[in-house]
Amino acid sequence: MLKAQRDSIRLLRGILVASVVLPTALFCYASWLGYHNITTIADRQIDQTRDVITEHALKVFESVERSMAEITEIVRDQSDGQIMDSEAALHQRLKRISAGSEQVKSLWIFDSHGRALANSLSHPAPPIDFSDRDYFSAHGERDIGTYIGEVLRPRPPYGGAPFFGVSRRRPSSDGSFAGVIQASLLPDYFEGFFAKISREFGSYAALVRNDGSILARQPAIGRNVSVGANSDLGKLMLARNVEGTLTMTSAVDGLERKLAYRRLSNFPVYVVSGMETRAIRAKWLAMMGSYMIFGLPATAALIALVMLALTRTQRLYEEASRRESAEQALKQAQRLESLGRLTGGVAHDFNNLMMVVGGSAQRLRRRHDDPQDRRALDMIDSAVNKATTLTRQLLSFSRRHAVSAKVVDLAESVHRFSDVLRQSVRSDIAIEIERPAGPLPVRIDPNEFEIALLNLALNARDAMPDGGRITISIKRRIDGKTPAGAAGDLVVLTFSDTGSGIAEDIRERIFEPFFTTKPVDRGTGLGLSQIYGFVQQSGGAITVDSELGRGTRFELAFPISNETPHRDADPAEQSPSRLPQPTTLLLVEDHPDVAAVAADYAQQCGFDIVAADSAETAIQLLNRRHDIGLVFSDIVMPGMSGLELGRLIREHHPEIAVVLASGYSDRSATALDEGFPLLQKPYTLEALRHTLFQALGATRTA
């Protein structure tokens, strides 16, 4: 059964782990696959954007070249003077050409000294020296073909947007430098086009000279910036790579991008397109978010269902375990109840018999002085004591023993009994007692408590054949749980040893009566049973913690008492051996042999005896006689019980002391609670004398 439960719990836990691991693994795979797809799509978009802006840039620069070629044909073989003479016509012609190209800001014709001969902006051309401009100075030494210059700002008196120049040498018949034909292009035009085709977040497009200078850029970030000669893209451009892809962090804005570049054929310019890697990741995260919107609730629902099934199964098994434990406890309680009923049924008569045997032995002891007879009588007394102890242990375990509880300081009780404990163990066993700082009062039976301590010490001694240590500590536990379940302070006595320990398979049975691991001649199995019954009847609880090879630890917890600890009487206050004055004692006992023994004991104490075999007869005697000073009655009798008789005497004759006796009765505890002195059968002469004299003295004092 337990194996099947463990297997089902293990299976559900495995399903729970799988419901977490498998969706996580699938999500990780989907994440990897989604990232791969997103990057592939991004690469495709970057390549497509590069193709579009490449085609557009080629058309723009080819258009500009055609315009400059047309101007070249117009001024071919013309001297500077001829061009200046026809400046007005050239101005109009250049103006019409530039007006037909949206990207062209202006067209210029310069002489060999950098002075404008004609332009599309104004007539006449101002006498300004443009020889320092790069689009002019680049052609001075040799014919380099088409040159694309840096982004410049217009020189006064001209204004407007920044531009970069596209220029070529003017043709001459002898090949000498005759001047420059130049077109001013607007970066804003290119940036506007880039913005139209790159509307997605993180998109990037640029027009870059082969030295890394940026002519146009989207997103725009200012003029006269460069990708950096030491950057990966700058190095590729300087190496004259035609096209390629790379991922790099921009030196301009510090953003990481995936880039695709291509050089325009026949032009010293590169087109670059790209996308920020954070934008690619954002797309991927958005896609993963959409997966999670549907996946997480489903996974959470699956996990919740499995956890619910696991929790319900565990609760079911725990409930089954508790039910089984409850059934075992019920069976144990029923066994104890049966044992208690059996014990209680025979205890009264058995104790009466022991009373007769013990009393008869005492009478014979007074009459015979023969040593052999005394030895036989000693054996009888020993047997009576052992039988009495055995009956008391059984009644204590079944919680039917009338505990004579009183408030005592638990630590002081242990201290007083420590010498007995040390004498009961071997010299190779040390006993350490840890006492609290102040008194810890509890309501217990001191005699039963001492027997419990002695039983624990003897068990510890047997568990330490090679010697060891016993530690007894008494502590106060604040805000603990009482055995009844209520909150309250406890006094906890911990009794631990360094012995061999208790095996787990027998730990639950150690408190059962007659259960023992000792040989038949070394134990009855009632020691721990007596401790269990004593603790339970004292309103406490006992727990055990043990492991083979590591010793055993018992904890006895008792509710702390608010009363003052009881103080034992001084020897000077003990009862005298005989009465100081004659007193008549009414002996109420239905068992004739027990009555004979009790009468003999009472006569030895100095009482005049009047006997009655029932409570009804005792009432008649009390009504007729007025010399009775003390009533000594058995509790269990046919008809009216001794407890009922005591109540009537207390009500109608409060001057008469009442002492009750019982071999066993479930009314004994009630008698103690109502304040009646109680003697447990079989009692001795000394016990009877002490109890009767004490009761008689208390009544006379009152």
Side-chain angles (χ1 to χ4, degrees):
M1 180 65 179
L2 291 176
K3 185 178 183 300
Q5 291 180 0
R6 287 195 296 268
D7 290 342
S8 61
I9 293 294
R10 193 179 296 113
L11 176 62
L12 285 173
R13 286 176 177 169
I15 295 174
L16 178 61
V17 172
S19 64
V20 175
V21 172
L22 288 180
T24 302
L26 289 175
F27 182 77
C28 291
Y29 174 74
S31 299
W32 173 84
L33 187 62
Y35 189 77
H36 177 72
N37 291 336
I38 289 294
T39 54
T40 300
I41 293 172
D43 291 341
R44 189 180 302 118
Q45 289 178 344
I46 293 170
D47 289 341
Q48 290 175 351
T49 303
R50 181 191 61 184
D51 294 341
V52 171
I53 63 177
T54 298
E55 183 177 356
H56 173 263
L58 276 175
K59 288 181 178 179
V60 169
F61 285 109
E62 288 174 353
S63 173
V64 171
E65 278 203 325
R66 285 195 299 270
S67 298
M68 290 193 299
E70 181 180 351
I71 296 171
T72 298
E73 291 302 322
I74 293 174
V75 299
R76 185 181 294 277
D77 299 330
Q78 291 187 18
S79 64
D80 293 347
Q82 292 174 329
I83 294 174
M84 294 181 66
D85 291 340
S86 59
E87 180 185 358
L90 284 174
H91 166 70
Q92 295 298 326
R93 185 74 177 267
L94 295 177
K95 189 175 180 179
R96 285 196 301 270
I97 295 174
S98 64
S101 299
E102 185 179 356
Q103 68 275 12
V104 177
K105 178 181 181 182
S106 60
L107 295 172
W108 297 73
I109 302 173
F110 296 98
D111 63 11
S112 59
H113 300 289
R115 292 190 298 271
L117 300 176
N119 65 73
S120 61
L121 294 178
S122 63
H123 172 72
I128 302 174
D129 184 4
F130 292 95
S131 61
D132 59 334
R133 295 291 200 178
D134 62 341
Y135 55 78
F136 180 86
S137 59
H139 299 280
E141 296 182 359
R142 59 187 177 86
D143 188 0
I144 60 173
T146 302
Y147 175 81
I148 299 177
E150 298 178 348
V151 177
L152 303 172
R153 291 194 174 275
R155 180 168 292 175
Y158 302 104
F163 67 95
F164 64 89
V166 179
S167 59
R168 298 183 67 178
R169 264 194 177 198
R170 282 174 52 193
S172 62
S173 58
D174 57 359
S176 62
F177 179 58
V180 172
I181 297 175
Q182 183 261 347
S184 298
L185 302 188
L186 294 170
D188 291 346
Y189 167 77
F190 291 94
E191 292 172 353
F193 177 77
F194 295 160
K196 290 179 182 178
I197 65 171
S198 304
R199 296 181 178 179
E200 197 168 351
F201 171 73
S203 296
Y204 176 82
L207 189 66
V208 186
R209 295 201 315 172
N210 56 7
D211 63 352
S213 298
I214 298 176
L215 302 177
R217 184 183 188 274
Q218 177 61 33
I221 200 170
R223 304 303 177 188
N224 297 319
V225 293
S226 172
V227 298
N230 293 325
S231 66
D232 294 339
L233 181 59
K235 293 176 181 178
L236 292 172
M237 291 179 176
L238 291 175
R240 299 295 189 267
N241 283 25
V242 176
E243 66 177 75
T245 59
L246 75 159
T247 300
M248 62 168 284
T249 300
S250 172
V252 177
D253 55 17
L255 297 177
E256 184 183 66
R257 294 183 177 88
K258 295 194 72 173
L259 301 175
Y261 63 92
R262 177 178 294 160
R263 181 174 180 176
L264 296 182
S265 58
N266 302 322
F267 296 100
V269 177
Y270 284 84
V271 293
V272 182
S273 65
M275 184 171 291
E276 296 177 15
T277 53
R278 65 176 181 177
I280 298 174
R281 287 194 296 269
K283 290 182 181 180
W284 172 68
L285 291 174
M287 182 178 66
M288 290 299 99
S290 64
Y291 289 168
M292 293 177 69
I293 289 175
F294 298 99
L296 273 181
T299 303
L302 176 62
I303 294 174
L305 288 175
V306 177
M307 289 186 67
L308 178 62
L310 177 61
T311 302
R312 290 178 65 88
T313 303
Q314 288 177 329
R315 288 180 180 175
L316 177 64
Y317 288 154
E318 289 173 359
E319 182 65 27
S321 177
R322 286 194 295 268
R323 188 180 298 111
E324 184 178 357
S325 299
E327 291 174 356
Q328 293 295 331
L330 178 60
K331 292 178 182 179
Q332 176 73 355
Q334 290 173 342
R335 287 197 298 268
L336 297 181
E337 184 68 21
S338 299
L339 178 61
R341 290 179 179 177
L342 175 63
T343 304
V346 302
H348 183 270
D349 292 337
F350 186 76
N351 283 332
N352 280 338
L353 293 176
M354 290 298 101
M355 181 80 194
V356 173
V357 173
S360 300
Q362 294 298 325
R363 182 177 297 179
L364 290 173
R365 188 184 296 277
R366 294 197 307 271
R367 296 180 182 179
H368 296 274
D369 294 332
D370 187 358
Q372 293 184 352
D373 292 341
R374 287 194 173 186
R375 182 177 181 185
L377 293 173
D378 289 342
M379 294 172 62
I380 293 174
D381 288 338
S382 176
V384 170
N385 291 333
K386 291 181 179 178
T388 301
T389 301
L390 177 64
T391 306
R392 184 177 62 185
Q393 287 178 324
L394 288 172
L395 290 174
S396 178
F397 172 73
S398 59
R399 286 176 280 177
R400 295 174 181 272
H401 176 56
V403 177
S404 300
K406 60 181 69 174
V407 179
V408 299
D409 181 359
L410 194 67
E412 182 63 26
S413 298
V414 174
H415 176 70
R416 286 201 306 266
F417 197 63
S418 60
D419 291 338
V420 178
L421 293 179
R422 289 187 172 90
Q423 293 173 6
S424 65
V425 299
R426 300 185 306 275
S427 59
D428 59 353
I429 298 176
I431 297 181
E432 299 178 1
I433 300 177
E434 301 174 358
R435 297 186 60 180
L440 294 175
V442 294
R443 178 174 286 277
I444 58 173
D445 185 334
N447 295 327
E448 292 290 326
F449 175 64
E450 291 177 354
I451 294 173
L453 279 182
L454 184 60
N455 283 329
L456 289 174
L458 295 177
N459 285 341
R461 179 198 64 188
D462 295 339
M464 297 184 291
D466 299 326
R469 184 177 67 258
I470 295 174
T471 303
I472 304 174
S473 67
I474 305 98
K475 296 180 180 179
R476 180 170 185 163
R477 183 175 295 168
I478 306 298
D479 294 332
K481 284 288 186 180
T482 65
D489 295 351
L490 301 175
V491 179
V492 180
L493 183 145
T494 302
F495 189 102
S496 59
D497 62 59
T498 58
S500 57
I502 304 173
E504 184 178 0
D505 56 341
I506 66 172
R507 199 175 301 156
E508 295 182 356
R509 300 187 58 198
I510 61 174
F511 295 117
E512 293 183 5
F514 304 112
F515 177 80
T516 180
T517 57
K518 299 177 183 179
V520 177
D521 59 342
R522 294 193 58 188
T524 62
L526 290 174
L528 290 178
S529 303
Q530 179 270 335
I531 298 172
Y532 178 84
F534 155 68
V535 174
Q536 292 288 322
Q537 198 162 2
S538 301
I542 182 171
T543 58
V544 60
D545 181 21
S546 182
E547 186 176 345
L548 285 177
R550 295 196 172 184
T552 304
R553 172 191 174 99
F554 288 93
E555 274 197 0
L556 284 67
F558 302 96
I560 197 166
S561 175
N562 295 324
E563 302 178 50
T564 303
H566 174 78
R567 186 178 63 87
D568 293 335
D570 295 332
E573 299 175 359
Q574 299 297 327
S575 302
S577 60
R578 292 186 63 84
L579 285 172
Q581 59 185 13
T583 302
T584 301
L585 181 144
L586 175 58
L587 176 64
V588 187
E589 174 62 63
D590 64 317
H591 196 292
D593 293 337
V594 175
V597 173
D600 180 53
Y601 284 172
Q603 287 172 354
Q604 293 183 54
C605 296
F607 287 99
D608 296 329
I609 306 302
V610 177
D613 59 359
S614 66
E616 289 80 5
T617 303
I619 293 174
Q620 294 175 5
L621 289 172
L622 287 170
N623 291 332
R624 291 200 308 266
R625 301 185 58 160
H626 301 286
D627 60 338
I628 297 175
L630 180 64
V631 176
F632 180 43
S633 173
D634 188 16
I635 291 181
V636 180
M637 294 183 296
M640 181 183 294
S641 69
L643 179 59
E644 294 171 330
L645 173 63
R647 290 169 179 167
L648 286 174
I649 295 173
R650 179 177 286 179
E651 180 179 356
H652 298 285
H653 302 282
E655 74 281 358
I656 299 177
V658 178
V659 177
L660 301 179
S662 174
Y664 159 73
S665 175
D666 53 3
R667 300 179 183 178
S668 299
T670 304
L672 287 172
D673 292 339
E674 293 184 9
F676 289 103
L678 180 67
L679 268 175
Q680 293 291 333
K681 295 179 182 178
Y683 47 81
T684 63
L685 171 62
E686 290 74 15
L688 177 66
R689 177 186 292 115
H690 175 74
T691 304
L692 294 181
F693 285 7
Q694 193 175 38
L696 190 62
T699 303
R700 288 176 177 174
T701 302

